[in-house]
Every structure is written in C-alpha cells, then in structure tokens.
Amino acid sequence: MTTNDHSPAFLEFLAAHFQDGERLPSLAQISREMGISIAALREQLEVARALGLVEVRPKTGIRRLPYTFLPAVLQSLRYATGVNAENFRLFAELRTHIEASYWYQAVALLTPQDLAELMSLVQRAEARLAGSPPENPHGEHKELHLSIYRRLNNPFVNGILEAYWELYEAAGLAVVNEHDYLRTVWQYHRKMIEAICSGDLDVGYQALVDHTDLLYKRPQAAPRQRFE
Amino acid sequence: MTTNDHSPAFLEFLAAHFQDGERLPSLAQISREMGISIAALREQLEVARALGLVEVRPKTGIRRLPYTFLPAVLQSLRYATGVNAENFRLFAELRTHIEASYWYQAVALLTPQDLAELMSLVQRAEARLAGSPPENPHGEHKELHLSIYRRLNNPFVNGILEAYWELYEAAGLAVVNEHDYLRTVWQYHRKMIEAICSGDLDVGYQALVDHTDLLYKRPQAAPRQRFE
DNA sequence: TTATCTGATTAATCAGATGAATACACCGCC
DNA sequence: GGCGGTGTATTCATCTGATTAATCAGATAA
C-alpha cells in the first residue's frame, strides 16, 4: 500500500500515444507534457528500457519497439539465478513443461518449408558432431527448439523459451557437454523431426519428452505416464 | 549492439552484497561506493523496484525483498495488454497449458490439510452461488487454482499463475460472468478436488482440462487427445 | 563514389538545493 | 509506570541547471 503506489505513468503514455517504431519527442518535451522533471522521467524511462519497450539514443531520441516478453523475463531471471542458482533448474523445468504442453499445437502450424529447414538443421548438427574435431552444435540445438514453437506466435511462450537459451549460454553450459550425450540427444532430435514429417505426432512427442529427461528428470512427467 | 549495452550494475550490487530483508546503505553512500551519481543510481533503483526486488521508503531506506517473478511479468503483461488486448488471450492460453502440464506433479505434493482447505473452498463457493442474491465466488476461484500449484514452490510457475489472476481482476472479468456458467464451472471444481481426494488423478486432470475449455478453446489440447 | 570533417541535436551524467515522509527518542501528562 | 503527542534527525523524492558525450545528417574533399 504505502510502499508501492508507483504507477508507471510513462509506460501508459508510451502505450497510449505512439505506435511501434514511432519516434517520441525529446526528453525535455515529454517532461513538460507529463508535468514531471527530466530526472523523474528518466527513472521511468529506464524501466521501459529494461523491459525492452523503447530504444533510446542521443540525437535519434526515443523510439517505441515492437512488444516482446523476453527482456522482462531475462532481467528477473538473471537476478534470480544470481541470488540462487537453484532457480535456473526451476525455470528450466518450466521450459520443458511448456514445450511439452504446446507440442501438438505448435507442430500443427509448421509449414513444409519449416520442416525442410528443421531437417537441414539436423543434418548440419550431425555433420558438426561427426567432424574432426567434433564440435558442439549448440547453435543448431537452440534454433531447432525455438523454430518448432515460433509459429505459435505467442510472445509469452516464445519469450520464456528464448530466455532459457539466453541464460543457458550465459551460464556457459553451451560448451561443456560430452560427446556421447550430444550424439544421443541428436538421435532424438532426428526422431522428432522425422516423426513430424511423417505425421507421427505422438512418436515425436515421446521423443521430445524422453530427450529432455536425459538432462532434467521430471518427477511425474504429466502426459507420459498415460502410456503405461 | 550499440543500443543496449546497459548492464544493470545495481542489480548485481544488490544480489552480491546483501541478503533478503537486509537494509542497504543510503543512496548517497551507495552512490559513492558504486562511483555514480545519485541521479544515475536512482534510475537503476527504479528498475529494481519495478521488478519487485527492493522496497524503498524515506527514513527506512532500501530493503532487499525475497525474490518473486510476479512483478516482472505483471509490468510487461500490463503494457502488452494495453498495446494489444489480444495479448491477454495469449497469456491466458499459456496459463492453462502450464496448469495442465504441472497437474500431476502439483497434486502429488498436496497435504491432507491442503485437501481439506480446498474442499472447504468449494463448499464456500457453492454456498455463495446458491445464496440470494447469488454471488460470484471469484476469490474462492482464484484461491482454489493458486492453492493447487503453490506446493510446487516454483517462483516462475507461481508468478505466471498469479499474474494471470491479477490481470483478470484488473480487466474487470471477475464480476461479469453469468450464473449458469459459474454453476457449471464449480461442478467441475468439485469434481477436480474430489478426484484428488480419492486418488483419481486422471479424472481430476480431465475435469481441469474440460473446465478451462469452457472459456478458452484450445485447438489441439495436447494430452487430452491421447484418450480417444 | 567514398571517406572525412563539421555542426546541430539529443541523451548522459553530475552536483546541489529544497521538500516530504518516516522512524524514533523525548517529554509531559495521567 | 504507562501512554500519547511532539519534535527531530535521517532518508528518500523531486526539481533545476550546467556540462559532457554520443549520434546523425549534410557538406566537403579525395
């Protein structure tokens, strides 16, 4: 009550008066229009920037950006993992649940061209794994997962999935994995994509769930137990 | 690259040097320690406050709060719905997917006392529905859903679920529903809780999925189709 | 055409002054 | 001794003005 009556007036101002990509007036002018000082305005502007809602540069000024959920998640998540590393595991668990629960819906939206690109991702990854020296196809791994869910066009789902990968990389996990583990993972990936191509959505789903269980054990994986 | 090299120095400072509930030095002192002006510091402080990481008051100063994901989600989500109301539907869809995918895991953690309280929630809601005049048991509805997943102790899951209800109320949807619809919903709620109590987790799951489908149609509801 | 210089615009940062909210000790009163 | 009001010091809240740095666009020269 007494502590947080902070209503973000600038965010409302931003949402109400401008379009994506549109340039805002200068700080001095906004400050006059909103009836607050530049210093106070800048404090709120910094929040908008942290949430990824505006881009601001000298001379160019302030520009509204298309909405994305990612920066908000990332800011909070970075702090959370800094305070307690266990939080990353909890977030990773959420990510696997979201991937599993959106599987059928997301896969149904993929176009033939999407599938071709996914298949080429698998091949490129396998080539890198089989090379000498073998490389960790992390970029392909990330892109494969994100591509499957991109057509959902759900900024919240996509923001969470992207935040996972961003933090995964920041934590340095993108390089450490052993070769055997990676080979196994990519066998599952191939199975997933091939299953989608042939319409065996259930097989693909099972491959998805199994391959995430390789990394994070999911105590009572929800839909899987229905098979037994 | 050039636009967003903003590293939130204060957030790191906060995570590194203090504990939950601990009081920070005064702004003037932090400003000296971090080597930046008070104005610049306050801009970053405002971000921390928007993320719900600190509580700040005159005389008392700045206090670090226990981590919560909720404020970050809420800030971004409020803006998103302000820009495009469709975003609320997309977020609501995410919420139903998360509830469904965590069902078995969450229910397994409920204690006998939790179940008793859930059952009493159902009874209280039914009483309000049957009263004259009948009332919309919105508080019970919200509490029922949140209670089921609270034991997961996952700040990200809980933050998203809480954000949904907060925005649901802010949108004024908490009062408009028709009596027939509400009666049906609470039949499902009773079914869910009774199923949990008797160990029929699958029946409860089905009731959960069906009752959310009353409001938001989920095109290819993932795990449900496995039943046919 | 390409690269460099120049000027104007805007944000970035800072220091300082004033005001307002709050906690806490103090004092007088019952 | 307990209680309630009062004062006071501490801290954030807000504003102002000045200076610095970054960036863009247009002019100029190679």
Side-chain angles (χ1 to χ4, degrees):
Chain A
M1 347 263 146
T2 62
T3 69
N4 260 350
D5 55 349
H6 260 261
S7 40
F10 176 70
L11 292 189
E12 292 172 18
F13 179 80
L14 179 66
H17 299 329
F18 304 93
Q19 298 296 315
D20 286 350
E22 189 178 348
R23 184 174 172 243
L24 277 66
S26 73
L27 281 174
Q29 203 165 329
I30 299 176
S31 143
R32 279 193 298 274
E33 286 184 34
M34 295 182 58
I36 61 176
S37 72
I38 291 186
L41 173 59
R42 283 186 61 90
E43 292 174 9
Q44 300 189 33
L45 176 63
E46 192 62 23
V47 174
R49 174 157 30 189
L51 295 178
L53 306 178
V54 295
E55 177 190 61
V56 34
R57 298 198 294 207
K59 171 74 181 179
T60 304
I62 307 167
R63 218 166 47 92
R64 203 183 98 170
L65 297 177
Y67 175 72
T68 162
F69 191 44
L70 174 60
V73 176
L74 220 38
Q75 292 278 358
S76 190
L77 185 55
R78 263 198 281 256
Y79 176 84
T81 57
V83 165
N84 184 355
E86 163 76 358
N87 278 328
F88 180 71
R89 197 191 59 78
L90 292 172
F91 187 79
E93 188 194 77
L94 170 62
R95 170 246 176 188
T96 64
H97 278 66
I98 291 178
E99 282 198 339
S101 68
Y102 269 101
W103 170 260
Y104 292 94
Q105 203 170 327
V107 166
L109 296 172
L110 294 175
T111 67
Q113 189 184 344
D114 291 336
L115 293 178
E117 284 167 10
L118 285 170
M119 205 59 214
S120 106
L121 269 178
V122 171
Q123 288 163 356
R124 212 154 62 232
E126 290 171 342
R128 290 185 66 184
L129 267 174
S132 56
E135 298 173 357
N136 180 347
H138 168 71
E140 286 80 1
H141 193 179
K142 169 181 179 177
E143 189 54 27
L144 182 94
H145 277 268
L146 291 181
S147 296
I148 293 175
Y149 297 92
R150 196 165 284 139
R151 294 271 176 206
L152 287 171
N153 228 21
N154 185 319
F156 308 105
V157 172
N158 294 331
I160 290 174
L161 299 186
E162 287 167 23
Y164 166 79
W165 288 102
E166 194 120 343
L167 221 74
Y168 184 88
E169 291 166 357
L173 303 177
V175 284
V176 295
N177 291 318
E178 309 138 14
H179 193 59
D180 285 350
Y181 165 77
L182 288 174
R183 279 185 42 117
T184 308
V185 165
W186 279 98
Q187 284 169 5
Y188 279 104
H189 285 158
R190 170 174 280 279
K191 197 170 173 186
M192 282 166 52
I193 306 303
E194 285 177 348
I196 299 175
C197 291
S198 59
D200 295 333
L201 267 43
D202 288 346
V203 173
Y205 179 82
Q206 194 58 35
L208 171 71
V209 171
D210 288 346
H211 109 289
T212 62
D213 280 357
L214 293 179
L215 200 37
Y216 302 103
K217 61 261 156 237
R218 306 189 309 152
Q220 291 225 23
R224 197 168 43 121
Q225 73 180 31
R226 335 187 70 66
F227 282 113
E228 274 87 57
Chain B
M1 281 302 161
T2 62
T3 68
N4 259 353
D5 55 350
H6 260 263
S7 41
F10 176 70
L11 292 190
E12 292 172 18
F13 179 79
L14 179 66
H17 299 329
F18 306 92
Q19 298 296 316
D20 287 350
E22 189 178 350
R23 184 173 173 247
L24 277 66
S26 73
L27 282 174
Q29 202 165 330
I30 299 176
S31 143
R32 279 193 298 274
E33 285 184 33
M34 295 182 59
I36 61 176
S37 72
I38 291 185
L41 173 58
R42 283 186 61 90
E43 291 173 10
Q44 300 188 34
L45 175 64
E46 192 63 22
V47 175
R49 171 153 38 184
L51 295 178
L53 307 179
V54 295
E55 178 189 62
V56 34
R57 298 198 297 205
K59 172 71 181 178
T60 304
I62 308 167
R63 218 165 47 90
R64 204 183 97 167
L65 296 177
Y67 175 72
T68 161
F69 191 45
L70 175 60
V73 176
L74 220 38
Q75 292 277 357
S76 190
L77 185 55
R78 265 199 280 256
Y79 176 84
T81 57
V83 164
N84 184 356
E86 163 76 359
N87 278 329
F88 181 71
R89 198 191 58 79
L90 292 172
F91 187 79
E93 189 193 76
L94 170 62
R95 171 246 174 188
T96 64
H97 279 65
I98 291 178
E99 282 199 339
S101 69
Y102 269 101
W103 169 261
Y104 292 93
Q105 204 170 326
V107 166
L109 296 172
L110 294 175
T111 67
Q113 188 184 346
D114 291 334
L115 293 178
E117 284 167 11
L118 285 169
M119 205 59 214
S120 107
L121 269 176
V122 171
Q123 287 163 355
R124 212 153 64 230
E126 288 171 343
R128 292 187 64 185
L129 266 174
S132 56
E135 299 173 358
N136 180 347
H138 168 71
E140 287 80 2
H141 192 180
K142 169 181 178 177
E143 190 54 26
L144 182 94
H145 276 269
L146 292 181
S147 297
I148 293 176
Y149 297 92
R150 197 165 282 140
R151 295 271 177 207
L152 286 172
N153 227 22
N154 185 319
F156 308 105
V157 171
N158 293 332
I160 290 174
L161 299 185
E162 287 167 22
Y164 166 79
W165 288 103
E166 194 120 342
L167 219 75
Y168 184 89
E169 290 166 357
L173 303 177
V175 284
V176 295
N177 292 317
E178 309 139 14
H179 193 60
D180 285 349
Y181 165 76
L182 288 174
R183 279 186 41 116
T184 308
V185 164
W186 279 97
Q187 284 169 5
Y188 279 104
H189 284 158
R190 170 173 280 279
K191 197 169 171 186
M192 282 166 52
I193 306 304
E194 285 178 349
I196 298 175
C197 291
S198 59
D200 295 334
L201 267 45
D202 288 347
V203 172
Y205 179 83
Q206 193 59 34
L208 170 72
V209 171
D210 288 346
H211 109 287
T212 62
D213 280 356
L214 293 178
L215 201 37
Y216 303 102
K217 61 256 156 244
R218 306 191 309 151
Q220 290 227 23
R224 195 165 45 117
Q225 72 181 33
R226 333 188 71 67
F227 281 114
E228 274 88 59

